[in-house]
Amino acid sequence: IPLNFLRVQADDGKIINGGTDYIERNAMVLVELIERINTSDCWESTIEPIKIIGFSMGGLIARYALNYMEDNNLTHNTDLFISVDTPHNGAVVPMGVQEMVDFVDDVANIDVADKVLRSPAAKQMLVHHYLSNSNSPAGAPGFHNNFYNAINSMGFPQNTRNIAIVNGTSLGTKINDENERFFDAEIETGALFPLIGVAAEAKMNFSPPGGQTKKVFDFKGKMRFLGFYITLYRRYKNVSSSSIYGSLENSPGGYFTVEKEINSFLGPDGTFNTNQTPLTSLIFQAKLEITTPEFSFIPAKSALAYSGNNEFLYDDF
């Protein structure tokens, strides 16, 4: 029985994006499903207990739901719980990517950050969030710590066999190097505007190692006039990565790759494939160079709920 979390309208009229909603609230949906299964006439619960597999965030939802039912004397009749690449100790999205998405939101007003990065689930799961030091209502100073303090105090369900699977390496091999360049993007005016026009470039790096502060995202807007470039807008984000965390974006574990998504927009020469007409290609030219298409999304130690000596997520076991 697949359980999906849909976009719904609450009784007060508020829109709830189920897939990015609070993990605790989605866990209550799973509790309801488990209770319906156990009271259904078509389920022989006395013969075969329930098995639950949670993928990624689904593992946190299932873990919370099963713990909640046990803590409140609710029978879940579940004997097996499997989590697959679940961020039991947190998930990772490069700070440079977060800053880039936030910047694009500010410039283009497309609300990607509002829908994804500023969602309750993202602020709960991300170990490093670009709003973690923000005092604004959209900030995330307590979301992550509050959630993980709560679920860690619960531990794991006691009446199930619990299996954690990592979809990635557990050998300690880093995916990339600290502060390595992730991508370079450029857009310039085309042949119709050889002297007067605009240009822009964006660069993104992974986070630095522990104890260092370095640039992770840089955007420059330029006005081209008679061959001269004038910087119009520049944005830097300096991130101090403490010795506790190091560079999580290069941790051994399961990785997320943007290569397939980006290649769908690129032609064989590396320029954006935007189905341009001959006229639009004369107006602007855009190019993106990817240094590495992958970053650590779920560190192995997070997927396996590792605890004990050498517990930092970026370290080898």
Side-chain angles (χ1 to χ4, degrees):
I1 304 176
L3 175 58
N4 195 14
F5 301 94
L6 304 178
R7 177 184 172 94
V8 297
Q9 185 172 10
D11 293 339
D12 61 0
K14 182 180 180 180
I15 298 298
I16 299 174
N17 292 306
T20 59
D21 192 26
Y22 291 95
I23 294 171
E24 301 93 329
R25 183 151 55 189
N26 280 339
M28 295 303 103
V29 178
L30 177 56
V31 169
E32 173 74 11
L33 174 60
I34 292 172
E35 291 186 325
R36 290 191 185 190
I37 292 173
N38 284 323
T39 57
S40 171
D41 293 335
C42 61
W43 180 264
E44 296 292 341
S45 59
T46 59
I47 299 176
E48 186 64 36
I50 297 172
K51 283 82 171 116
I52 296 180
I53 303 177
F55 295 90
S56 193
M57 181 176 64
L60 290 176
I61 292 171
R63 176 182 166 188
Y64 194 98
L66 291 170
N67 273 320
Y68 176 87
M69 297 187 77
E70 290 184 357
D71 291 344
N72 289 275
N73 298 316
L74 301 173
T75 301
H76 55 62
N77 190 39
T78 301
D79 66 349
L80 178 62
F81 164 46
I82 301 175
S83 66
V84 182
D85 240 16
T86 289
H88 290 292
N89 296 333
V92 178
V93 171
M95 290 298 295
V97 171
Q98 296 186 50
E99 290 296 335
M100 178 188 65
V101 172
D102 181 53
F103 172 76
V104 171
D105 266 14
D106 292 342
V107 174
N109 194 27
I110 57 177
D111 294 334
V112 175
D114 280 338
K115 295 177 181 177
V116 181
L117 289 177
R118 295 175 189 166
S119 68
K123 289 189 283 189
Q124 286 180 310
M125 289 186 293
L126 290 180
V127 178
H128 287 163
H129 193 282
Y130 81 106
L131 290 176
S132 60
N133 296 320
S134 171
N135 292 321
S136 70
F143 278 73
H144 178 83
N145 289 339
N146 289 343
F147 172 73
Y148 278 96
N149 286 340
I151 198 169
N152 287 334
S153 66
M154 290 178 166
F156 278 81
Q158 298 298 302
N159 299 325
T160 57
R161 181 187 180 192
N162 304 315
I163 298 175
I165 298 173
V166 56
N167 182 27
T169 179
S170 60
L171 299 179
T173 305
K174 293 191 301 182
I175 295 176
N176 307 296
D177 293 327
E178 289 83 353
N179 208 226
E180 181 180 350
R181 179 65 52 81
F182 187 20
F183 70 73
D184 294 300
E186 296 180 3
I187 183 169
E188 294 185 353
T189 50
L192 286 181
F193 302 95
L195 297 179
I196 302 175
V198 296
E201 62 179 25
K203 301 179 185 296
M204 200 215 81
N205 288 20
F206 292 117
S207 294
Q212 297 186 24
T213 300
K214 292 190 178 181
K215 180 172 57 183
V216 294
F217 177 67
D218 177 25
F219 180 86
K220 297 178 181 178
K222 300 178 179 178
M223 180 69 72
R224 183 168 60 186
F225 178 72
L226 298 178
F228 293 98
Y229 284 86
I230 303 174
T231 300
L232 297 178
Y233 188 84
R234 180 177 293 168
R235 177 176 179 174
Y236 290 96
K237 175 65 177 181
N238 295 317
V239 176
S240 178
S241 182
S242 71
S243 58
I244 294 178
Y245 292 119
S247 182
L248 292 178
E249 298 148 20
N250 307 307
S251 305
Y255 61 82
F256 182 86
T257 178
V258 296
E259 185 174 24
K260 182 178 180 180
E261 288 79 4
I262 291 178
N263 283 343
S264 65
F265 296 99
L266 298 180
D269 59 350
T271 58
F272 281 106
N273 179 17
T274 54
N275 297 319
Q276 298 180 52
T277 65
L279 177 59
T280 57
S281 64
L282 291 174
I283 296 175
F284 76 91
Q285 298 173 350
K287 187 173 183 179
L288 176 64
E289 180 181 349
I290 311 169
T291 304
T292 173
E294 303 166 351
F295 62 83
S296 177
F297 183 45
I298 309 294
K301 288 185 176 180
S302 184
L304 298 178
Y306 178 85
S307 63
N309 294 330
N310 200 20
E311 64 204 35
F312 305 138
L313 295 180
Y314 64 91
D315 282 336
D316 191 3
F317 280 95

